[in-house]
Amino acid sequence: MSNHPVASIICALIAALLFAVAAVAQQRAAAAVAEGDALIGALIRNPRWWAGLVGDAGGYGMQVVALALGAVLLVQPILVSSLVFALPLAARLNGRRITGREMGMAVALTAGLACFVVIGDPTEGKTTAPLHDWIVPMGVLLVLIVAAVIAGLRSGPAPRALLLGVASGSLYGVAAALTSYVSGLFEHGFGHVLTSWQTWTLVAAGITGVYLQQLAFQAGPLSASLPTVMIAEPLVAAFLGRTVLDERLQAHGFGLVITGIAVLVMCVTAVGLSRSQAQAGAVTAEEPAQSVAR
């Protein structure tokens, strides 16, 4: 595996942009499907959803390249910047302006990302961890994901979108942790790819994650699910990178404290941006109704 952090960061930012565009398109398509209707059947007939799927494919392709050039601990947190890209896009589609508070949170999120990358300075680990190293961490994650799905399906629309978003993002994090290894198998021939358990785990995690994300999009607005997806994915990927792939942050002492604060800022601003978009969306939805009433 190569170690080109600058190129990896650029590819990760492009992936974040594509994921943001895809999320906006897919949520609009999924939200138009009534709860009692067949979700997948309705989505495959919607051109907007297919456009979002193409965006996801492009984003994942850039993510693969980024992971080939840098560590999981470096690439995955950068994908949180999808929220920064989604903010102006959602504002434009809803016909509103970005507020100073939203811009401030976007700047804070970007600054948090910069601190994490520069001060934390994540290093690459191993990609060939044996199966027994994966069993316990993956088992813990599987239990948590299943619990989130069950709780989400039994909840109301808002918590359902949140919990299914957590489950979807967690599965994306598992897929990200496996991507570097599976990509390297192509050097040894397609047969190695097809006979590896990592390949089929990656495929299963990716497909299930996409399906759960569509359910989350259907259950509530983008602001209810996208932040949890964006936060859960890097956290799970970082957990596997640390416990299985032996990746490390090079920061120590005060630098480690700053890195932790940067991660906290990223989480807080991500949630803040989502709430701001939700409030703006509610105002936008109320305005046409008030006009009609007049």
Side-chain angles (χ1 to χ4, degrees):
M1 184 186 298
S2 302
N3 186 16
H4 302 284
V6 175
S8 179
I9 290 170
I10 293 173
C11 291
L13 287 172
I14 295 173
L17 173 60
L18 292 171
F19 283 141
V21 174
V24 172
Q26 289 182 343
Q27 193 278 330
R28 284 178 161 246
V33 181
E35 188 172 343
D37 295 344
L39 177 62
I40 299 302
L43 291 178
I44 61 177
R45 295 191 298 270
N46 191 320
R48 179 179 291 167
W49 184 79
W50 282 105
L53 197 64
V54 171
D56 267 340
Y60 182 68
M62 294 307 300
Q63 184 183 9
V64 170
V65 176
L67 288 169
L69 298 171
V72 173
L73 280 176
L74 172 65
V75 173
Q76 293 309 119
I78 295 176
L79 296 184
V80 179
S81 62
S82 289
L83 289 169
V84 177
F85 296 125
L87 174 62
L89 178 59
R92 182 175 179 81
L93 291 175
N94 291 327
R96 67 179 185 87
R97 294 181 179 180
I98 301 175
T99 66
R101 181 173 179 271
E102 290 171 336
M103 186 59 68
M105 287 189 290
V107 171
L109 175 57
T110 304
L113 281 171
C115 286
F116 179 85
V117 171
V118 174
I119 300 176
D121 193 15
T123 62
E124 289 186 285
K126 56 187 179 182
T127 60
T128 57
L131 177 60
H132 61 78
D133 286 350
W134 291 88
I135 291 177
V136 174
M138 290 282 277
V140 171
L141 289 174
L142 182 60
V143 170
L144 295 176
I145 291 170
V146 170
V149 171
I150 293 174
L153 294 176
R154 294 179 177 178
S155 302
R160 182 185 308 165
L162 186 149
L163 290 168
L164 293 179
V166 169
S168 174
S170 298
L171 288 169
Y172 289 155
V174 171
L178 294 168
T179 293
S180 295
Y181 178 80
V182 174
S183 300
L185 289 178
F186 284 94
E187 298 178 0
H188 307 288
F190 201 62
H192 285 79
V193 177
L194 293 178
T195 56
S196 169
W197 69 265
Q198 288 94 334
T199 300
W200 298 108
T201 303
L202 169 60
V203 170
I207 292 176
T208 307
V210 169
Y211 177 67
L212 291 176
Q213 188 174 38
Q214 306 316 304
L215 289 177
F217 285 163
Q218 183 188 28
L222 189 68
S223 56
S225 56
L226 185 59
T228 57
V229 173
M230 291 294 99
I231 293 171
E233 180 177 354
L235 288 179
V236 168
F239 169 71
L240 292 175
R242 178 65 180 83
T243 59
V244 180
L245 304 180
D246 199 30
E247 295 185 346
R248 296 286 189 275
L249 294 175
Q250 296 192 55
H252 299 285
F254 184 69
L256 192 60
V257 173
I258 296 298
T259 303
I261 293 174
V263 173
L264 180 61
V265 168
M266 289 163 55
C267 293
V268 171
T269 53
V271 173
L273 283 172
S274 72
R275 288 180 175 176
S276 179
Q277 292 181 50
Q279 292 169 357
V283 170
T284 303
E286 288 174 359
E287 287 177 351
Q290 292 174 352
S291 298
V292 171
R294 294 192 187 99

